[in-house]
Amino acid sequence: MPYDPKQIEEKWQREWAEARVAEIDLAKPGDKYYMLNMFPYPSGDLHVGHGRNYILGDALYRYLRMRGHAALNPMGWDAFGLPAENAAINRGIHPRQWTLGNIANMKRQFMRWGILYDWSKEIASCEPEYYRWNQWLFLQLYKRGLAYRGKAPVNWCPSDQTVLANEQVIDGRCERCGTEVVQRELEQWFFKITAYADRLDDGLDKLEHWPEKVKVMQRNWIGRSIGADVDFPVSPLGKSIRIFTTRPDTIYGATFMVMAPEHPDVRALIADAPDREQIERWIESVRNQNALERQEAGKEGRFTGKYAINPFSEEPIPIWLGNFVLMQYGTGAIMAVPGHDQRDFEFAKQYDLPIRRVVDGGELPFVDNGISVNSGVITGLPTPKAIERIIEEIERRGIGKRMVRYRLRDWLISRQRYWGAPIPVVYCPEDGMVPVPREQLPVVLPEEYRPLQEVESFVNTKCPKCGRDARRETDTMDTFIDSSWYFLRYVSPHDTTQPFDSELANHWMPVDQYTGGVEHAILHLLYSRFFMKVLHDAGLVEAAEPFMRLFNQGMVKRFGQVMSKSLGNGVSIDELASAQGADAGRIYEMFIGPPEEDVEWNDAGLNGVVKFLQRVWRLVLEPESIAAESGSPGADVDAVALRRKVAQTVGKVTEHYDELRFNTAVAFLMELSNTMQDYLRGGGARDAAWDGSVRTLVKLLNPLAPHIGEEMWERLGEKGLLADAPWPTFDPSDAVEPKVVLVVQVGGKLRDRLEVETGLSEADAVKAALASEKVRAALDGRGPSKVIYVQDRLINLVP
């Protein structure tokens, strides 16, 4: 019977589901391995671009099972948020209806791929049984002083009368109605993540199995800077403006000051400016840009007409406003030292401001360490000593102090939209802001889909403290909260008494292998680390980090662009499974290139994988058809050589599965199948040793192509599922290549005979030859100009 994936794949998908193969009793002891793919958003149809993440995870899971690990591999849904709400608006349906429909379809597609998840642990963040614990966790942070309400600038759509996320603002306009977006300051809820800035930064040093680029991205986001705060007197204000600098040693070179347009002192500074209205219009335009847009825009500024006093040079310096200075970093004001800062240099050149050298070095702007010049008490000191000395002087004069500041801002969690977890707070005229008691959780979303502030039955409530009429908070939580602790919920997903069982969490956490896209390198991973540290401090978990190992898979491209439904270059999972089979798609996804790199999808390559699976099918189930084929074998393979090749493949595939190098593991399996084919064509016996080789090949292939693996396993007469079979054992002694004598010549003359491994590459043969004293003496210190190599027989080094 020829290999026909259509006839076998649905069969084994049903078998796995009915046997509930992936379910695991978390309370049973075992060699635990917690593996997790990042919480997916239920967006609808999956294409093979998504498959790289999930297939990689499934292959690892199946491999770990066979290695004897008690492997936990759960799945759930990051189901709240903006995309679902927008889709609901566009389609005129409820976001819950849209979300649950997508979940059902994605589960079907996961099954079509042959991916095993422990569905008994399934969670969805939009269900009250989950988000009640979001609300409980909010209250724990509130009790610990880590949740607070404060003012923050937001994107405001005057037409829709709502706050928009940055993603909803396209070219400065509301993506829904096209109205120009303005900035407003509104009362918002925050989590005080800055209280953990040092620990989040220091903790990165302990994450040995994280990609270095992710750790660098997080460090930059946290942005810990060591320097000094310094007060610059401003006479018109009758006060000083505080700046923060990481190079206080350059203070004598500060020739102007630049403030963020949002700085609270700006209004007073420009109150009597003759061009005040023009400046205010410019400020408004800058405020309507987000931080990224401002950083990427050309440097632009406005002179306030006022001056500050440089406290060291005692010179008056002009105060400017600049689009590149942000209130979110430092104090919202900087001393500009154009002689020693590239950004300040460009700004000074643009507006013809003075530039002064105060550090001796290269051409201006000189931004490296050097020797201080023209700098009073620190003149002649190297930069590190100059920094220490000037800070001492700043503190002695009482005009500032040593300071560590962060780019990281507190986490704004308020969202003015319906499809999210309600924030569990009530506002009472008598008692003020009152947290909702635990026994009244969850605060459930109303069934009616409208902005929460318009749903009277939701808004109007009783104060939990005094019983008087009160109003509920109508903001919902940022969906990053949903994904910041979900990995803990999987250990007790249906517990109605607590968010997670601490005893089980302490056994299973941290996650051993976390897999997902690098686009989550900062916010999701940083927020998860923050939550884990808070829960650790609260005594709820022992681990202080959530993920031991992190792997970021590359993107799949087609026609040079990342696969996307909107671009029309996606490859449908359903169509691929129907045409070539899910196993072919799975292997090709893993074989196409190193899993951490972006790759280009090629249909011809997929056809090559189909042919490989057909060959394996015949090797295992129809060996006589290969033995009867005409033509000589590609190599002389006897029983000893076959046994050695099988052992070598077990060792290599095991090593490369451990390291998630599935692409090279596939290559090794292809080599083994070629060797087995040559063995049959050369008349090799189909005896017990052959049968053992066949079963080893099937086992090694199983994590990547489980449908064909199970079918071949059953047809070989084996009992039980291949998914439960043990991994092949590796005996290094069986993999050792035999030795041969290599004749070594220099210029055609015999110089040495070396015992080397069979099949030595030319490069390794040259190394072995050059290690011989006789050969080196014959070459007289010169390298060979030419190499003639006959593998396993002779090497001739031509001087």
Side-chain angles (χ1 to χ4, degrees), residues 554-576:
M555 305 287 249
V556 178
K557 298 181 177 181
R558 196 177 186 212
F559 311 132
Q561 293 180 298
V562 174
M563 274 196 189
S564 166
K565 191 174 182 180
S566 62
L567 293 175
N569 66 344
V571 176
S572 164
I573 293 167
D574 293 325
E575 291 177 8
L576 185 150

Side-chain angles (χ1 to χ4, degrees), residues 159-181:
S159 176
D160 288 342
Q161 293 288 295
T162 186
V163 171
L164 304 177
N166 286 337
E167 297 89 340
Q168 293 174 290
V169 181
I170 309 298
D171 296 327
R173 296 183 176 275
C174 174
E175 70 169 1
R176 296 178 181 177
C177 67
T179 303
E180 188 171 345
V181 172

Side-chain angles (χ1 to χ4, degrees), residues 692-703:
S693 300
V694 163
R695 281 159 175 77
T696 297
L697 173 62
V698 172
K699 286 182 176 182
L700 295 177
L701 183 64
N702 180 61

Side-chain angles (χ1 to χ4, degrees), residues 229-455:
D229 280 357
V230 189
D231 292 331
F232 281 59
V234 181
S235 297
L237 293 180
K239 58 181 284 190
S240 293
I241 293 177
R242 174 158 287 195
I243 64 94
F244 170 72
T245 175
T246 60
R247 288 294 301 272
D249 60 305
T250 65
I251 196 166
Y252 281 90
T255 58
F256 59 99
M257 176 185 286
V258 187
M259 300 172 65
E262 303 92 340
H263 194 289
D265 288 329
V266 167
R267 186 172 297 275
L269 284 171
I270 66 171
D272 57 356
D275 56 349
R276 177 177 58 82
E277 291 184 2
Q278 292 178 347
I279 295 176
E280 286 178 341
R281 284 195 296 271
W282 176 79
I283 290 173
E284 192 63 24
S285 69
V286 173
R287 285 168 59 94
N288 286 335
Q289 294 179 308
N290 62 42
L292 181 60
E293 290 171 331
R294 285 169 61 170
Q295 293 293 299
E296 292 180 346
K299 293 171 182 59
E300 191 176 351
R302 294 293 186 273
F303 179 41
T304 65
K306 302 298 190 299
Y307 292 81
I309 302 297
N310 183 322
F312 279 85
S313 71
E314 299 183 349
E315 296 174 322
I317 60 173
I319 302 174
W320 283 72
L321 309 180
N323 63 343
F324 60 91
V325 179
L326 307 175
M327 281 303 300
Q328 294 95 319
Y329 180 66
T331 64
I334 65 166
M335 68 174 198
V337 184
H340 304 286
D341 182 278
Q342 182 66 41
R343 177 192 58 189
D344 297 348
F345 180 81
E346 293 171 4
F347 194 84
K349 284 288 191 182
Q350 184 173 344
Y351 292 104
D352 196 24
L353 295 165
I355 300 171
R356 182 177 301 154
R357 177 187 292 278
V358 291
V359 180
D360 194 23
E363 294 182 3
L364 298 182
F366 178 67
V367 299
D368 295 325
N369 290 356
I371 303 296
S372 292
V373 296
N374 307 317
S375 297
V377 296
I378 60 172
T379 296
L381 294 179
T383 297
K385 291 185 178 179
I387 290 175
E388 290 301 313
R389 178 69 182 86
I390 201 71
I391 291 177
E392 291 173 4
E393 187 65 16
I394 288 167
E395 293 181 333
R396 186 188 71 78
R397 295 189 187 187
I399 59 172
K401 60 181 178 179
R402 185 186 305 273
M403 181 63 67
V404 178
R405 289 191 178 272
Y406 303 88
R407 182 172 289 107
L408 180 68
R409 300 290 91 186
D410 281 342
W411 176 5
L412 193 160
I413 68 160
S414 289
R415 297 294 181 268
Q416 290 73 26
R417 57 178 181 247
Y418 168 87
W419 194 233
I423 293 175
V425 169
V426 166
Y427 300 100
C428 173
E430 183 70 22
D431 297 308
M433 195 162 60
V434 181
V436 175
R438 173 175 176 155
E439 60 272 15
Q440 293 183 19
L441 299 180
V443 177
V444 179
L445 282 174
E447 291 186 10
E448 183 181 2
Y449 173 45
R450 279 195 298 158
L452 292 180
Q453 62 267 28
E454 297 178 10
V455 183

Side-chain angles (χ1 to χ4, degrees), residues 28 127 145 202 218 297 364 417 436 546 558 634 692 710 723 742 762:
K28 283 187 176 180
E127 298 294 354
D202 294 340
Q218 287 212 4
L364 298 182
R417 57 178 181 247
V436 175
R558 196 177 186 212
E710 291 283 8
L742 183 68
E762 180 176 310

Side-chain angles (χ1 to χ4, degrees), residues 109-167:
Q109 289 183 305
F110 281 143
M111 179 177 286
R112 191 84 188 267
W113 253 333
I115 292 175
L116 295 180
Y117 288 122
D118 185 347
W119 291 110
S120 70
K121 314 292 189 296
E122 182 182 10
I123 57 178
S125 63
C126 64
E127 298 294 354
E129 73 166 359
Y130 183 86
Y131 69 73
R132 75 177 293 183
W133 300 114
N134 271 13
Q135 295 168 346
W136 183 86
L137 289 165
F138 172 93
L139 297 176
Q140 306 316 301
L141 269 73
Y142 183 78
K143 291 175 185 176
R144 300 178 73 83
L146 297 172
Y148 68 93
R149 192 163 170 81
K151 279 194 172 182
V154 295
N155 303 310
W156 179 261
C157 175
S159 176
D160 288 342
Q161 293 288 295
T162 186
V163 171
L164 304 177
N166 286 337
E167 297 89 340

Side-chain angles (χ1 to χ4, degrees), residues 451-600:
L452 292 180
Q453 62 267 28
E454 297 178 10
V455 183
E456 292 187 6
S457 60
F458 176 83
V459 174
N460 298 328
T461 187
K462 298 294 183 182
C463 173
K465 193 171 183 180
C466 68
R468 292 182 172 86
D469 289 343
R471 294 178 61 82
R472 288 197 188 280
E473 170 64 74
T474 55
D475 284 355
T476 54
M477 297 187 204
D478 180 8
T479 55
F480 276 116
I481 294 174
D482 303 334
S483 58
S484 292
W485 69 281
Y486 76 106
F487 40 86
L488 290 162
R489 183 65 176 171
Y490 282 133
V491 304
S492 47
H494 308 299
D495 195 326
T496 59
T497 63
Q498 56 190 342
F500 55 87
D501 184 307
S502 290
E503 185 176 345
L504 287 175
N506 288 336
H507 173 69
W508 286 95
M509 292 296 296
V511 172
D512 293 280
Q513 179 64 60
Y514 198 41
T515 305
V518 74
E519 65 271 19
H520 300 295
I522 298 175
L523 296 182
H524 161 58
L525 291 173
L526 194 66
Y527 294 154
S528 297
R529 296 181 62 225
F530 165 61
F531 256 66
M532 199 69 179
K533 293 182 189 306
V534 172
L535 294 171
H536 171 81
D537 290 351
L540 294 173
V541 288
E542 292 175 355
E545 290 285 349
F547 313 119
M548 183 181 298
R549 294 177 184 84
L550 174 67
F551 186 83
N552 300 130
Q553 84 282 354
M555 305 287 249
V556 178
K557 298 181 177 181
R558 196 177 186 212
F559 311 132
Q561 293 180 298
V562 174
M563 274 196 189
S564 166
K565 191 174 182 180
S566 62
L567 293 175
N569 66 344
V571 176
S572 164
I573 293 167
D574 293 325
E575 291 177 8
L576 185 150
S578 297
Q580 289 96 348
D583 281 338
R586 286 171 62 108
I587 290 184
Y588 183 60
E589 290 258 25
M590 297 295 97
F591 183 53
I592 196 171
E596 70 275 11
E597 296 181 8
D598 291 351
V599 292
E600 178 74 19

